[in-house]
Amino acid sequence: MTQTIDNESTRLIESVVDAIYDKRGKRVTTIDLSALDVSNALNYVIATGNTPTQVSAIADNIREHVQKELGVKPINYDGYRNSTWIVIDYGALMVHVFVPAAREFYDIEQLWSDGVINERPDPD
């Protein structure tokens, strides 16, 4: 059973990452919190878009791509009003898309530094 959950989580994470790169998102970082007993979410994906318009486009693409590829809709999402930080909640996976200044200010990687952090190379 655990392997199925891990495989499903991996597929969801990879689908999200693909959608981010489709819209030229940068600085994709994944954080695995599964070994910690501190959060409902087991994994985080964090990405950066250059402008609020790009952040919004990345977030839209994530929601559309994941639903089309995996048939999964988010539980909730928020942040479209100013699009400097959009969060998409998939239950065990939280996705955060920031403009650069907001990402630096909130520094989620530091907040969850006890998790396993994987900074992915940009595809350029």
Side-chain angles (χ1 to χ4, degrees):
M1 180 86 173
T2 302
Q3 189 163 4
T4 303
I5 293 170
D6 290 342
N7 187 36
E8 289 174 10
S9 294
T10 299
R11 288 181 58 215
L12 179 57
I13 291 166
E14 293 308 316
S15 183
V16 166
V17 170
D18 288 347
I20 292 166
Y21 287 145
D22 283 348
K23 293 297 179 182
R24 300 182 190 269
K26 302 285 185 194
R27 295 187 53 214
V28 174
T29 301
T30 59
I31 304 176
D32 180 352
L33 301 172
S34 60
L36 306 176
D37 189 25
V38 294
S39 174
N40 290 336
L42 300 176
N43 293 284
Y44 278 46
V45 174
I46 305 163
T48 302
N50 291 322
T51 64
T53 302
Q54 186 183 22
V55 167
S56 180
I58 291 168
D60 285 345
N61 199 51
I62 291 167
R63 293 180 19 244
E64 292 166 9
H65 182 80
V66 169
Q67 184 173 353
K68 182 178 179 183
E69 187 175 272
L70 303 177
V72 176
K73 291 183 179 181
I75 295 167
N76 205 353
Y77 51 88
D78 194 21
Y80 277 91
R81 177 165 289 193
N82 62 16
S83 296
T84 57
W85 174 12
I86 295 177
V87 61
I88 307 170
D89 181 356
Y90 284 102
L93 173 66
M94 297 292 286
V95 181
H96 299 270
V97 185
F98 291 97
V99 294
R103 182 167 181 175
E104 297 305 318
F105 180 79
Y106 291 104
D107 197 9
I108 290 180
E109 292 91 339
Q110 179 61 36
L111 179 68
W112 295 112
S113 63
D114 289 346
V116 178
I117 297 175
N118 178 17
E119 297 177 4
R120 296 183 180 219
D122 290 338
D124 297 342

